[in-house]
Amino acid sequence: MTVSTAEPGTLTGSLLLGDSRGLHRVAEDLARGMRVAQSLRDTLANRELARTLSSWNSAPGHPDAFVASLFPEPSPASNVPFLPKERLLSPREKSAAADAFTRVLESCEFTSGPAVTAFEDAVADYAGLSCAVATGSGTDALAIALRAVGVEPGDEVILPANSFAATENAVFACGAVPVLADVTTPDGNLDPDSVAERITPRTVALLPVHLYGKLADMAGLRAVADRHRLRIVEDACQAIGVTGVGRYSDAAALSFNPYKNVGLCGKAGAVVTDSAEIAERCRVLGYHGFAPGRKNVKCEAFGLNARIDNTMAAIGLALLPWTSLRGLRRTYLARRYVEALRPLAEEGVIETPSFAPDHSWHLFPVLTAGGAEARDTLLERLARTSQVETDVYYPVLTHRQETPVRERFFGQAHLPRTEWLHDRVLHLPLHAGLSLGEQDRVVEALYAATRRAAA
């Protein structure tokens, strides 16, 4: 798929893959008022973005008008919700999903069927890896991938504490022991030096999380893993489409939860890898330990009932064409936040993330001045005074959860950088259904709230 030939004010260049690096480039071009004229790789995930760019080039207008057309109309509501569930899918996406479900109803192929393999092929193609094994959830993908690379009961797996519970739960599901390492600032991702300090003879694998969609230091973690002959499974559930996912690891887990960047109409996930051997083992472990192609004949002692259903895979195939277009919206909004909030960042009132090409922008975090009390006061002020809803992901760190295993596994955890970040992080609304007008209101509210606090 290729957009039309270049004209004055147009940037040309190499093939766009639809990954985070390419979307970053498109967002930069659009922000500078340049017309996009690169070719898009012909994939299912790029289809709607290619159609949108081609439509614009066939009826040229000012870049600002095109950018505005990418986003929903401003909401007449007085509040700005953090992530309204009614906007998880656009009307066209809902229609496509409904049509896919209708076709499955007519075929009655609800659990097994041809959509599973087709969806896996499309996910692998989008990820730029040779294999994808679709699962019932991102948590299933994590647990299966860990087992597939050799994690057994009693083994240790090193991971960060500032993640969703699924990360540690996947380790527990293997009967393994989660070991917490500290993170780098300001991105909050696993620190290779801290990881190296936690390695023991029982350590088998590393489980880095690409927090909020920002790629962790995978080259650094790979170097540590190689020195100690460890495996790496990436928790890339927030980082689908990020350039480099899967490049330095044995396998990566993705999530298609409705609230993720590529969300379906229920729980789903996938393991992506360049290893055919690991992919085959994931298939066995994800379906009761059955031998490949031989239902009810086991070749493994243990397996899960964790395959994706044909129903959800069919819906996934119907929704994948919007993947890169939705990714561009998130990327453009992130750039817009960074630029609009630059004065506050320069004053030291907040710290914003760098606008980098290795980010899916699943969430947009800012670090507030002061500790948790000041952050929580700002959150409440934004909601009360400006009706802008913000949030904190994740409100309770792994080693602070009140569970029966807290002291046993996490009693000695020393994570000063993780805790420092946790006390300051605040997330602003950012999703594919956010309008530019709503984003402007968030920015205005943040300026008003911080100025009021300083007065």
Side-chain angles (χ1 to χ4, degrees):
M1 299 177 182
T2 308
V3 296
S4 65
T5 56
E7 53 187 60
T10 301
L11 291 183
T12 59
S14 58
L15 186 71
L16 292 173
L17 303 180
D19 59 354
S20 65
R21 188 177 300 276
L23 297 180
H24 181 274
R25 179 177 174 179
V26 173
E28 288 278 29
D29 290 354
L30 291 175
R32 295 185 179 113
M34 308 301 291
R35 186 175 296 277
V36 179
Q38 295 94 334
S39 298
L40 273 171
R41 191 164 69 95
D42 188 4
T43 67
L44 185 63
N46 286 340
R47 188 163 297 168
E48 284 299 313
L49 179 57
R51 184 193 64 79
T52 301
L53 292 176
S54 295
S55 174
W56 180 42
N57 281 346
S58 65
H62 194 277
D64 288 348
F66 172 68
V67 168
S69 73
L70 291 175
F71 295 90
E73 293 295 321
S75 170
S78 59
N79 67 316
V80 180
F82 186 75
L83 178 53
K85 61 183 180 181
E86 63 272 15
R87 286 195 244 169
L88 289 173
L89 297 175
S90 69
R92 290 184 63 218
E93 289 170 307
K94 291 176 184 177
S95 178
D99 289 346
F101 182 60
T102 298
R103 291 193 293 272
V104 173
L105 280 175
E106 292 171 350
S107 71
C108 291
E109 294 177 311
F110 300 115
T111 56
S112 299
V116 172
T117 299
F119 181 68
E120 290 176 334
D121 290 345
V123 170
D125 184 38
Y126 178 60
L129 298 169
S130 58
C131 304
V133 180
T135 61
S137 70
T139 309
D140 287 339
L142 284 167
I144 289 168
L146 287 168
R147 289 292 300 269
V149 302
V151 174
E152 299 287 347
D155 291 339
E156 292 180 351
V157 178
I158 300 177
L159 64 152
N162 55 336
S163 182
F164 184 59
T167 310
E168 63 185 278
N169 285 341
V171 177
F172 282 129
C174 296
V177 177
V179 175
L180 303 178
D182 213 350
V183 299
T184 54
T185 56
D187 61 23
N189 283 325
L190 205 56
D191 176 20
D193 291 336
S194 182
V195 166
E197 294 171 357
R198 267 71 169 180
I199 293 172
T200 75
R202 295 172 58 194
T203 307
V204 171
L206 312 182
L207 182 54
V209 177
H210 304 311
L211 190 67
Y212 313 142
K214 175 69 169 69
L215 194 73
D217 179 6
M218 293 306 301
L221 292 169
R222 184 75 263 173
V224 173
D226 287 347
R227 285 199 301 271
H228 297 273
R229 299 183 179 180
L230 305 177
R231 311 304 291 269
I232 299 180
V233 171
E234 297 171 68
D235 183 339
C237 290
Q238 297 182 343
I240 186 168
V242 172
T243 310
V245 165
R247 183 175 300 168
Y248 293 100
S249 67
D250 298 283
L254 307 178
S255 172
F256 301 104
N257 180 288
Y259 289 91
K260 291 296 193 294
N261 288 32
V262 183
L264 307 188
C265 298
K267 301 293 181 69
V271 179
V272 291
T273 178
D274 260 338
S275 168
E277 179 182 354
I278 290 175
E280 192 62 43
R281 186 157 166 74
C282 286
R283 295 188 195 283
V284 171
L285 291 167
Y287 191 42
H288 295 295
F290 292 156
R294 303 185 68 190
K295 184 177 180 180
N296 297 321
V297 178
K298 292 182 70 174
C299 63
E300 283 281 347
F302 171 80
L304 299 169
N305 183 19
R307 294 194 310 174
I308 193 173
D309 286 335
N310 190 64
T311 303
M312 196 57 63
I315 292 172
L317 285 170
L319 294 177
L320 274 178
W322 280 270
T323 297
S324 295
L325 179 59
R326 292 168 64 90
L328 177 60
R329 288 176 184 151
R330 286 179 176 271
T331 304
Y332 190 87
L333 287 168
R335 187 190 189 283
R336 206 163 177 263
Y337 264 141
V338 170
E339 291 302 315
L341 298 174
R342 190 178 302 280
L344 288 181
E346 290 173 346
E347 293 171 19
V349 176
I350 60 170
E351 183 174 355
T352 60
S354 299
F355 182 62
D358 59 350
H359 209 310
S360 73
W361 302 107
H362 174 63
L363 293 169
F364 190 89
V366 297
L367 299 178
T368 61
E373 184 176 350
R375 184 269 315 278
D376 294 346
T377 298
L378 176 60
L379 183 152
E380 293 169 5
R381 183 177 291 123
L382 288 167
R384 184 180 64 254
T385 305
S386 302
Q387 288 77 55
V388 168
E389 184 181 9
T390 56
D391 211 335
V392 177
Y393 282 72
Y394 295 95
V396 184
L397 295 169
T398 294
H399 63 302
R400 291 176 171 171
Q401 296 280 0
E402 295 292 342
T403 67
V405 299
R406 175 180 174 178
E407 288 303 315
R408 177 184 172 191
F409 290 123
F410 310 127
Q412 302 303 312
H414 179 62
L415 308 168
R417 292 189 296 276
T418 301
E419 293 168 3
W420 184 90
L421 286 168
H422 182 260
D423 287 345
R424 289 161 177 78
V425 71
L426 180 69
H427 294 91
L428 307 182
L430 192 154
H431 54 86
L434 187 71
S435 73
L436 298 180
E438 286 174 316
Q439 187 183 37
D440 289 340
R441 289 168 59 190
V442 174
V443 171
E444 291 166 5
L446 193 55
Y447 271 91
T450 53
R451 297 289 188 249
R452 189 176 298 111

